[in-house]
Amino acid sequence: MSEQDEGRPGEWPVLVRVPVEPVEAAMEADAADAAASHSALAVRGPLFGVAAQDRDQGGGRRWRVVVEVTHGCPQQARDALNSQLWFHAKDQAKSRQERRTLLTAVARLEKEPVDELTVLGVRYRVVRAEEYAAVDEHGGIETPRPTDPEPLTPDWSPGSGARSPRVDDNLVLNPDAPLSPLQAAERLALRPLAYSGTGFPAPVLADSARAVKSHPDVLLMPTAFLIVERSGNGPWSPGSALQATAHDARRTLDFALTWMEPRTRSLIPYDADTTVDARRPATGTTDAAAPQLRELAEAADRLRAGRCDQVEAAGTVYRIARSRRLLRSGPDGPESPRPSDTSTHIPTALHPRLDEDGTVHFDEPAGDDPAP
């Protein structure tokens, strides 16, 4: 790090560790190939979650993610924290005083757009990450890499998604963790990333430029995966939430093609039995619907034939995309929502009233006080 860099508060050196294990070396080679073929970035926009810092655990600059950084607006992340604290009070509180403390925090989250609070010695913060993807010279979004984690035996059974890993599960945000050379290069290259262009409102541009100075370092979050889709020559648009693995995204697409799309396209009635889908159409399916259902089923079957990351059906191309996220960090930790970030709704009570004895009053709305 140069003397000029040392003068920038909150910007730390990056620890680089050269991969020596075969798997690590293969992943680094994959990353090099991807950087050569997908050299541009497409920024989708911000995502939000919640990180926590245990002040009494000697964690230093480390924060851990307690609400996955996948939410589309700050209030969704606050609501998730609200629920987490409410259920903690209901199921895990060890005393009336502990429950009251938790419910006091819940009551505040029900009324205020709070971005930071401390509860029982744990500091919670709503955090902001930037989602982006690598694209090639033709605008094609990067698909999963050969070394991205995959199950040894893909499970396509209904309900198997409940057993899949969650995005950001047990993730610790540690800016001091060693990185591979290409990870370090990406992290350093993204430090000055800011919005630009006339398509952004002035407050958004100003907040973005300000964040580069107030939170000069960036942390690269684990890769996630999602479905993107495109009709004709139109732009790619997201078709699912983020998933922890490429197989989870493929399984989501399999369900969408065989179950959801037929109902959305009125090929199968919404009130049909849940077992009816494109692979198992109901008796009496119309002659017009049958070939369309078959096309959707065949596209879904191609997903199951191997590590297939793109299929086309009914004029729409579906692709499994590799999503990347960066989270800005400064001297006091990860970046919170910016003034120009907006939410789709306001804080509100999400659960019935819970008293300090742990009794849920289902017939009463949450009141002004955390406990009687």
Side-chain angles (χ1 to χ4, degrees):
M1 185 170 65
S2 67
E3 293 180 1
Q4 181 180 7
D5 288 333
E6 290 176 350
R8 299 175 184 174
E11 188 171 299
W12 297 281
V14 175
L15 179 61
V16 180
R17 182 173 63 84
V18 177
V20 293
E21 297 295 331
V23 173
E24 292 178 325
M27 293 176 67
E28 188 75 349
D30 255 4
D33 291 342
S37 60
H38 295 75
S39 56
L41 297 182
V43 178
R44 179 182 173 190
L47 294 172
F48 302 89
V50 178
Q53 186 181 48
D54 297 313
R55 291 182 169 179
D56 59 351
Q57 297 298 316
R61 297 194 293 129
R62 298 184 184 185
W63 293 67
R64 57 187 172 89
V65 175
V66 295
V67 172
E68 61 272 16
V69 188
T70 60
H71 296 276
C73 74
Q75 190 56 45
Q76 290 176 345
R78 297 183 197 115
D79 289 347
L81 178 60
N82 180 332
S83 287
Q84 188 174 114
L85 295 177
W86 189 90
F87 280 105
H88 188 170
K90 173 179 173 290
D91 301 326
Q92 302 174 42
K94 299 176 182 178
S95 67
R96 296 176 75 188
Q97 180 57 43
E98 183 173 311
R99 186 174 290 111
R100 174 177 282 275
T101 300
L102 288 161
L103 292 176
T104 298
V106 169
R108 188 179 175 196
L109 285 164
E110 291 174 346
K111 299 177 179 64
E112 304 174 38
V114 182
D115 287 333
E116 183 161 331
L117 72 167
T118 299
V119 187
L120 299 175
V122 179
R123 183 186 185 190
Y124 296 94
R125 176 180 293 176
V126 178
V127 297
R128 181 191 198 278
E130 205 74 63
E131 185 185 11
Y132 63 101
V135 297
D136 62 22
E137 60 181 345
H138 305 293
I141 299 176
E142 184 184 10
T143 55
R145 298 173 185 173
T147 49
D148 285 329
E150 297 274 4
L152 293 176
T153 304
D155 189 350
W156 300 93
S157 62
S160 59
R163 301 187 293 272
S164 297
R166 297 187 58 138
V167 176
D168 298 336
D169 191 27
N170 297 317
L171 175 64
V172 174
L173 302 173
N174 182 10
D176 301 316
L179 303 174
S180 74
L182 283 171
Q183 288 174 331
E186 182 176 359
R187 180 171 164 182
L188 292 171
L190 290 175
R191 279 180 172 173
L193 179 68
Y195 295 155
S196 62
T198 57
F200 293 98
V204 173
L205 294 174
D207 281 352
S208 184
R210 191 179 303 113
V212 173
K213 297 180 180 179
S214 63
H215 295 78
D217 200 14
V218 298
L219 301 178
L220 302 181
M221 302 188 70
T223 299
F225 304 87
L226 76 158
I227 304 165
V228 295
E229 53 190 62
R230 180 173 67 179
S231 297
N233 294 320
W236 291 100
S237 61
S240 75
L242 294 184
Q243 307 287 335
T245 71
H247 176 68
D248 291 322
R250 293 187 198 103
R251 185 176 51 238
T252 300
L253 180 54
D254 179 271
F255 174 80
L257 290 170
T258 58
W259 200 94
M260 186 58 69
E261 282 295 317
R263 286 163 171 79
T264 301
R265 298 170 186 265
S266 299
L267 304 175
I268 294 175
Y270 269 103
D271 58 358
D273 189 275
T274 56
T275 60
V276 174
D277 61 19
R279 290 190 177 98
R280 296 171 291 273
T283 303
T285 299
T286 66
D287 292 341
Q292 298 179 65
L293 290 172
R294 187 163 53 250
E295 182 180 8
L296 291 168
E298 289 173 351
D301 288 343
R302 289 195 292 276
L303 287 173
R304 298 192 178 197
R307 292 189 179 183
C308 178
D309 293 322
Q310 182 168 306
V311 295
E312 183 174 358
T316 299
V317 177
Y318 302 89
R319 173 177 290 189
I320 306 302
R322 196 174 193 273
S323 172
R324 292 144 77 174
R325 295 165 295 159
L326 67 87
L327 188 149
R328 287 200 166 275
S329 184
D332 192 40
E335 183 185 15
S336 296
R338 300 171 184 173
S340 57
D341 291 325
T342 59
S343 288
T344 57
H345 58 288
I346 61 175
T348 188
L350 303 175
H351 301 284
R353 186 173 70 84
L354 176 67
D355 66 29
E356 65 181 13
D357 294 314
T359 302
V360 180
H361 298 264
F362 290 101
D363 56 341
E364 300 178 35
D368 293 335
D369 299 322

